């Protein structure tokens, strides 16, 4: 099938590449000429395991191409995916100007029947507006469908190639059949293609992400209560997860959610509710709890030093909002590090993949270390902010020898309390009282 994907951001790049991997002819469109040239050479702007190799292979096989020529891409394609950004507006709503601009251009370039696919995360009613825009520009037949993505950063390639479900919102049998054919190679294991009306599909993405965000905030609220009453949040989590009605995912206490989806989608859902006269108290509380979780972690640090951290050196392990990505959008590290810098602290940071983006955020305000251990040199305390695998089993004897003082603030509850305190560390985490053993 001949496909164009408009927008080579996170979603568009993964979608276009994986569709090409299944034998389709895919043209990815973007306005950024420098970015396009890099993509043709196999240099990608995001870190996503497995993606670089797939791009290189499919470009070599002439199944995947990159261009700024939207007109030709639309004319050559049967299915046109819109995968441009929908940044958050000041009121929390999604800014749809890029989506609507693309829709207008598609309308001008139609040369026959097309299926226009909203792949970007968009509020209910967007497909209807896209339809109106295109219809005002052309007399050719077309259908607009909603096909929300459910990709986890760090596992996006696998999620696309082996989806647990594909949601297609369509009001046209013709478009539905084309989309089912397009996705059939990805669903040979029997996982479902779920067909629904367009508005329900648009709502499904926001509802799913908002539910997961609520779970995370709930886990954090429970952990904070556990800490006050002397319970162990990790034991409570295990006890909860044994209930099949609850499940084990998204219940880990920590620094809260970040990234490009959960914060933006929760706020967009709140805005949608308000715009339609509905209450969204649960979502508003989840959003507020998420913000507070970072402040509580900062307060742990300040309490330890009686409010004075001027001149203290902190080793920050992890900057990305989660492991296996270089994405720092809404990352807890930004809030935490900026607050510590404001109070006169020095930051020595290490992250396996996020340094390029970190430099655009922090500039020369922090030091960028070549390794996790280098970041610890002379540190008064270590802050674990992102749970990269390489941080899970470090050499604590080496850590101890490098640090000025043996203090760890674990924002991801990653370490065994008994083991780490026996090593002589003062240990602070989420959902447990501080563990301190007389230093040796």
């Amino acid at each position: 099938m001949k496909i164009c994907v408009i927008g080579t951001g996170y979603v568009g790049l993964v979608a276009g590449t994986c569709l090409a991997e299944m034998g389709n002819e895919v043209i990815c469109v973007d306005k950024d000429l420098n970015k396009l040239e890099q993509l043709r050479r196999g240099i990608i702007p995001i870190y996503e395991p497995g993606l670089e190799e797939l791009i290189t292979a499919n470009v070599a096989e002439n199944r995947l191409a990159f261009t700024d020529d939207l007109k030709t891409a639309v004319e050559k394609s049967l299915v046109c995916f819109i995968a441009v950004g929908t940044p958050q507006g000041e009121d929390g709503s999604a800014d749809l100007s890029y989506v609507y601009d693309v829709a207008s251009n598609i309308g001008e370039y139609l040369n026959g029947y097309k299926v226009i696919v909203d792949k970007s995360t968009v509020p209910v009613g967007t497909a209807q507006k896209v339809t109106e825009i295109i219809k005002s520009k052309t007399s050719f037949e077309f259908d607009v469908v909603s096909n929300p993505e459910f990709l986890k950063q760090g596992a996006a390639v696998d999620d696309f190639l082996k989806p647990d479900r594909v949601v297609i919102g369509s009001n046209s049998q013709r478009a539905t059949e084309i989309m089912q054919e397009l996705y059939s190679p990805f669903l040979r294991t029997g996982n479902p293609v779920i067909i629904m009306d367009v508005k329900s599909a648009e709502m499904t993405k926001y509802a799913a992400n908002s539910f997961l965000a609520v779970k995370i905030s709930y886990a954090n609220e429970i952990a904070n209560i556990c800490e006050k009453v002397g319970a162990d949040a990790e034991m409570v989590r295990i006890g909860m997860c044994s209930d099949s009605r609850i499940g084990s995912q998204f219940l880990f206490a920590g620094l809260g959610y970040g990234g490009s989806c959960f914060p933006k989608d929760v706020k967009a859902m709140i805005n949608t509710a308000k715009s339609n006269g509905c209450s969204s108290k649960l979502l508003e509380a989840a959003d507020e709890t998420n913000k507070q979780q970072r402040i509580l972690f900062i307060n742990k640090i300040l309490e330890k030093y009686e409010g004075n951290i001027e001149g203290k050196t902190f080793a920050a392990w992890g900057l990305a909002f989660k492991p296996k990505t270089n994405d720092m959008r809404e990352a807890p590290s930004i809030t935490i590090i900026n607050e510590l810098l404001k109070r006169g602290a020095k930051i020595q940071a290490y992250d396996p993949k996020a340094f390029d983006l970190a430099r655009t955020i922090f500039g020369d305000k922090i030091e960028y270390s070549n390794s996790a251990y280098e970041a610890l040199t002379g540190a008064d305390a270590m802050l674990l902010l992102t749970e990269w695998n390489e941080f899970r089993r470090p050499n604590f004897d080496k850590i101890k020898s490098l640090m000025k003082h043996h203090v760890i603030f674990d924002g991801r509850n990653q370490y065994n309390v008994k083991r780490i305190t026996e090593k002589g560390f003062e240990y602070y985490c989420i959902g447990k009282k501080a563990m301190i053993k007389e230093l040796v």
Side-chain angles (χ1 to χ4, degrees):
M1 196 174 294
K2 295 186 176 182
I3 300 162
C4 73
V5 178
I6 303 154
T8 61
Y10 181 81
V11 172
L13 198 53
V14 171
T17 303
C18 291
L19 287 166
E21 178 68 8
M22 288 299 162
N24 298 292
E25 295 179 28
V26 180
I27 304 172
C28 289
V29 184
D30 203 285
K31 292 180 178 179
D32 188 333
L33 297 180
N34 182 57
K35 184 180 183 182
L36 291 171
E37 181 55 33
Q38 288 188 318
L39 287 169
R40 293 185 190 107
R41 292 163 51 199
I43 302 170
I44 64 174
I46 60 173
Y47 174 72
E48 184 62 40
L51 183 58
E52 183 176 344
E53 294 83 355
L54 285 184
I55 289 175
T56 300
N58 282 282
V59 168
E61 293 293 331
N62 296 317
R63 291 191 298 264
L64 181 62
F66 299 97
T67 184
D68 64 333
D69 185 354
L70 177 58
K71 182 177 185 293
T72 300
V74 170
E75 289 174 346
K76 288 184 174 181
S77 302
L78 172 62
V79 181
C80 302
F81 284 84
I82 300 176
V84 294
T86 55
Q88 182 181 306
E90 290 185 8
D91 62 353
S93 63
D95 179 353
L96 299 175
S97 57
Y98 298 113
V99 173
Y100 295 154
D101 285 347
V102 169
S104 179
N105 288 330
I106 289 174
E108 292 176 7
Y109 301 147
L110 282 192
N111 60 338
Y113 176 78
K114 313 283 182 186
V115 177
I116 315 302
V117 183
D118 280 339
K119 196 67 176 170
S120 303
T121 300
V122 292
V124 176
T126 301
Q128 183 176 330
K129 178 64 175 177
V130 167
T131 299
E132 292 169 0
I133 291 170
I134 297 175
K135 191 172 286 187
S136 71
K137 301 282 185 177
T138 186
S139 59
F140 287 107
E141 289 187 21
F142 66 94
D143 287 304
V144 177
V145 307
S146 174
N147 174 218
E149 53 86 14
F150 298 96
L151 306 177
K152 299 184 295 292
Q153 287 180 265
V157 171
D158 270 356
D159 285 346
F160 201 103
L161 294 176
K162 295 177 282 188
D164 53 15
R165 87 287 203 195
V166 172
V167 172
I168 297 171
S170 172
N171 300 326
S172 158
Q173 185 61 33
R174 183 180 184 183
T176 298
E177 290 175 0
I178 290 170
M179 293 299 291
Q180 286 175 313
E181 179 186 348
L182 178 62
Y183 276 107
S184 60
F186 300 95
L187 296 162
R188 297 183 66 190
T189 57
N191 288 347
V193 174
I194 304 170
I195 308 298
M196 59 182 73
D197 64 277
V198 172
K199 288 187 176 181
S200 295
E202 291 172 329
M203 188 67 171
T204 296
K205 174 61 188 291
Y206 281 111
N209 276 0
S210 295
F211 177 75
L212 296 177
V214 169
K215 282 189 78 174
I216 293 169
S217 287
Y218 177 79
N220 280 326
E221 282 208 345
I222 292 298
N224 296 335
I225 297 170
C226 285
E227 193 169 317
K228 293 296 184 183
V229 303
D232 185 328
E234 178 61 12
M235 293 297 100
V236 173
R237 184 192 69 81
I238 293 169
M240 289 175 59
C241 291
S242 63
D243 187 329
S244 60
R245 297 170 301 174
I246 296 174
S248 62
Q249 294 187 318
F250 294 89
L251 283 175
F252 290 91
L255 297 174
Y257 55 80
S260 62
C261 293
F262 286 5
K264 179 168 67 72
D265 291 356
V266 169
K267 288 180 174 64
M269 186 70 117
I270 292 169
N271 181 268
T272 296
K274 287 181 178 177
S275 299
N276 289 275
C278 297
S279 171
S280 60
K281 290 181 180 178
L282 184 61
L283 296 177
E284 290 171 25
D287 182 50
E288 184 58 31
T289 294
N290 195 60
K291 294 174 187 172
Q292 281 298 118
Q293 201 63 18
R294 300 164 192 199
I295 303 303
L296 291 172
F297 187 75
I298 293 166
N299 287 341
K300 283 181 189 288
I301 300 170
L302 296 177
E303 286 170 15
K304 155 67 181 170
Y305 298 105
E306 299 180 345
N308 183 14
I309 59 171
E310 187 171 359
K312 299 290 184 186
T313 298
F314 295 98
W317 276 17
L319 297 171
F321 88 93
K322 64 179 285 189
K324 298 184 180 179
T325 180
N326 63 343
D327 197 343
M328 288 189 62
R329 284 174 287 184
E330 301 285 343
S333 64
I334 298 174
T335 305
I336 293 164
I337 289 174
N338 278 335
E339 188 61 34
L340 299 183
L341 289 172
K342 190 189 303 181
R343 294 172 179 269
K346 176 185 175 184
I347 304 296
Q348 297 171 176
Y350 173 73
D351 188 284
K353 297 294 178 183
F355 271 172
D356 287 345
L357 283 172
R359 285 189 174 92
T360 68
I361 296 167
F362 300 117
D364 60 1
K365 295 178 183 177
I366 68 173
E367 290 188 11
Y368 303 92
S369 302
N370 294 316
S371 71
Y373 292 115
E374 181 182 298
L376 294 167
T377 304
D380 291 287
M382 185 260 271
L383 315 177
L384 180 66
L385 305 181
T386 312
E387 63 276 33
W388 285 93
N389 285 343
E390 66 184 79
F391 300 158
R392 292 187 182 275
R393 297 290 181 194
N395 184 331
F396 286 109
D397 291 329
K398 184 174 182 179
I399 289 175
K400 197 172 179 183
S401 71
L402 292 167
M403 295 180 72
K404 183 177 179 182
H405 296 110
H406 309 133
V407 182
I408 294 177
F409 293 91
D410 182 354
R412 300 299 180 178
N413 286 1
Q414 189 160 264
Y415 299 128
N416 180 283
V417 174
K418 183 174 183 293
R419 181 182 178 218
I420 204 167
T421 52
E422 285 178 349
K423 288 284 187 183
F425 287 91
E426 190 173 336
Y427 182 62
Y428 300 82
C429 57
I430 311 294
K432 302 175 188 178
K433 290 186 180 295
M435 302 296 174
I436 305 169
K437 186 171 181 176
E438 185 176 347
L439 303 183
V440 294

